[in-house]
Amino acid sequence: MEPLSWTGTLGPVLNPLLLAAAVVFAVSVIVQIVLSVFVPRPVAEGPTVAAPRTVVDYVGWAVMGSFGVIVAVCLAYLAIGPMMPGYQGKGIVGAVSLQLMPVWIALIVTFALSMTFKRRLGLYGKLFDSTIGMIGFALVMFWVFAGVFGAMDLIVTHGALEQASGMKNKPPGTPLRGAEAGEYPYYLLGGDNLARDVFSRMIKGAWEVIRIAPFATLFAFMVGITLGLPAAYYGGRLDTFLSFLANLILAFPVILLFYLLVTPEIVATGIPVYMAAVLFLFPIIFFSVLFNSRFHTQTTKRAIYIGSTLVVGLWLYSGIAWNADPLGLIEFPPNLLVVFVAVVFVNSPTVFRIVRGLALDIKTRDYVAAAQTRGEGPWYIMLWEILPNARGPLIVDFCLRIGYTTILLGTLGFFGLGLSPESPDWGSTINEGRKLLTIYLHPALPPALALLSLVLGLNLLADGLREESLRD
Amino acid sequence: MGLFILRRVVVMLLTALCLTFIVFFLTNLYPNLEKLAKTQGNMRMTDEQVATWLGERGYDRNLFVKYGEWLGVLPGYVVEAEDGTVRGRCIDAGMTPEEAPRFCGVLQGDWGYSTVFREPAGEIVFKRLGLTGWLMLAVMCVMVPGALIIGVLAGMREGSKLDRSLSTASIMTTATPEYVSGVIFIAVFASSAVGLKWFKGTATSAMDNITWENFTLPVLTIALYGMGYIARMTRASMAEVMTAQYIRTARLKGVKFRTIVLKHALRNALIAPFTVIMLQFPWLLNGVVIVETLFNYKGFGWTLVEAAGNNDIELLLGVSVVSVFVVLVTQLISDIGYVYLNPRIRVT
């Protein structure tokens, strides 16, 4: 069998078009930037006459037009490519797009539903008013769906650990030697140094990120909020002590901390388990205090809420932190636990500082004084007066911090810490691929671009949210 | 002001003490010591042999005593092995136990001995620090002017096309960690697969002789990640200044736009980025570790990885003292500098 070309039968038609549009776009963008610095803006003469058209306008049209063509061609590759007959006709891009079909469907459904009901969805709905926010959200949801469906074995073409003979370091689109019936006949993005499929590993790697990063960030927020609010509200010695601790952790170079915490030797001492035991207590404390401060006058409600928090929380706690789930449902492999704990540990001091700063500001507002005059307890004021009013910046920072956590996870993988060496996560794959990077590009580039696009998406999403939350 | 600096210095010393103690504690955990014994001695040592090896080298004593010895506030240990040889912390090669000084710790200027490189730890740290210094210098020369120019250009006309494209570019760079941009740079500019081969994919030769070819990619890789962040801060501060009353007054007086930006806005807009640039140093340290590993440039970051990977206790302590020092001193400088730059703030 012939190796696949990148764009299949669409290539001869669309490739020259794409190239031409790209050249026009690059040239006109440079011209536009140069012009915007040197040419003054045209001034409208008289009240009725519109500003005369200048070179700047024509260059602007060239930029818009060529950009439109580039987007249209890329969409054509993704949308029309999969419809071409045969693998040769689809090309690599078309075949990848076909494999990603569940993701496309899920994305379209999400967007259609959200756009329809966007006025009823609060801040989330407002996100769909900003282009930047929508692009960011699309990128993030793309990887979320890819990760979830990849974990359900819908997208991947081969196993993440499956090795095929003769596929070592083969370029993208190489046919699988001696493919049996029912087996996918190509390595779409080529094979890595151990003859595993790069595409499948990239998709599986998305799941590694999706299942760790958001939860680790959430835990870091729980810790940061539970400690930051009282530090700001009470001030004094407590504040000095907690701030000193936070600065202490922040003064550590992150990588040194990882090298000290995430090694098999440290796992053998059991320190990560103790750290997990302390850090994972915070969510339970947070929710118990949250409900207690609100419902301490309504005893039945309080009993229900706190009871269920404690039952669910302690069950999860025993499973996650101590790996001793009485029902045997939750399992947390020790090397994953170290990674999780290390990432939470590194992130929480920064969250603590942000929460403390916000709370110090909000503490001086009138509604806090009103609540104090009403005789509300300090925890009610912290959790039900100050915290909801700090939610805007916190949500934005949450998005940014997931991106940062993703980068940290990649760093861990890059130094070969924590996760097992054959794990498909992006950092480890980049680390493996970089050794032969000057000869073979394809094993290292897909995970690198994947990580880049996910973090970029989270940054754009945060930007869109910030813009929209500032608007009202 | 004097009291403020004094208080900060005391807190700094306290932080450094706590941090080194944490590093000391973690590296002196028994599994780590066992690994050290096995890599230094023999991989197939039995548990008893490990225990004697550690005992003869003074590793099996109380943690606080060992830490005190490292600091130089307690006298160094002297142990007589079963075969009669006398080992001591302060007894260097070719020295009799009588000649050796009683105290030898950081306070006496003795940083201990690196078990990986088999050289005094202090020498290694400062030699490597010099190499990283060149890298940092180059990064600063690229990053700071670049970021400030981008930020000022983007912020002077908020919402313009130039602003949009520069802002998007800075978001892109902040979303690209060093190990991703480094890999992409090597792939594009150094690999035989693309074939441009403008630069070299390793910076090993830059340790002796820095050239355009071997130093560009590492410097660019570190500079890009920090650049976007500083540029965004500069943009925000510039945009804020441009809406100020005195800028409007200047425009109404008919001052040229260029003069407004350069003479009126720039100085006030650069106060906030100053702090950000100073606080960027600790992050650069992180980037340095990744880039030095990726490009095989044997500087400070590379030493950190080697020391941490091999549980080289005293070298690791030296490395962490230096990095903590860098972090805390830059914090102090940024605080003091901010007070001088911004006349509205006074420290009492």
Side-chain angles (χ1 to χ4, degrees), chain B residues 242-303:
Chain B
M242 287 304 279
T243 58
Q245 296 287 335
Y246 63 91
I247 298 289
R248 188 161 61 168
T249 314
R251 296 198 83 162
L252 292 175
K253 279 196 303 189
V255 184
K256 266 207 268 174
F257 187 68
R258 182 177 308 196
T259 324
I260 291 179
V261 170
L262 291 178
K263 286 253 169 74
H264 299 231
L266 202 56
R267 269 205 224 160
N268 287 312
L270 290 186
I271 296 173
F274 171 78
T275 328
V276 178
I277 292 170
M278 292 312 290
L279 294 181
Q280 202 70 17
F281 269 99
W283 292 108
L284 282 185
L285 208 65
N286 241 336
V288 161
V289 178
I290 294 172
V291 166
E292 284 182 359
T293 314
L294 183 62
F295 288 94
N296 206 14
Y297 182 78
K298 291 176 179 146
F300 187 69
W302 182 83
T303 313

Side-chain angles (χ1 to χ4, degrees), chain A residues 435-452:
Chain A
K435 288 163 193 155
L436 288 172
L437 194 61
T438 43
I439 317 166
Y440 302 112
L441 304 180
H442 60 271
L445 273 188
L449 294 177
L451 198 143
L452 168 62

Side-chain angles (χ1 to χ4, degrees), chain A residues 7 23 48 60 62 96 118 135 145 150 184 197 209 223 272 276 287 289 310-312 333 339 342 389 396 409 428 461:
Chain A
T7 46
V23 170
T48 50
V96 167
K118 74 176 173 185
I135 295 174
F145 288 134
Y184 199 82
D197 184 33
V209 172
V223 177
F287 282 111
V289 177
L310 285 180
V311 168
V312 176
V339 172
N389 286 297
V396 171
L409 288 175
S428 316
L461 180 64

Side-chain angles (χ1 to χ4, degrees), chain A residues 259-270 272 335 338 416-418, chain B residues 31-32 35:
Chain A
Y259 258 109
L260 290 174
L261 282 181
V262 192
T263 55
E265 285 79 28
I266 296 284
V267 178
T269 60
N335 61 347
V338 197
L417 296 168
Chain B
N32 273 334
K35 185 181 156 199

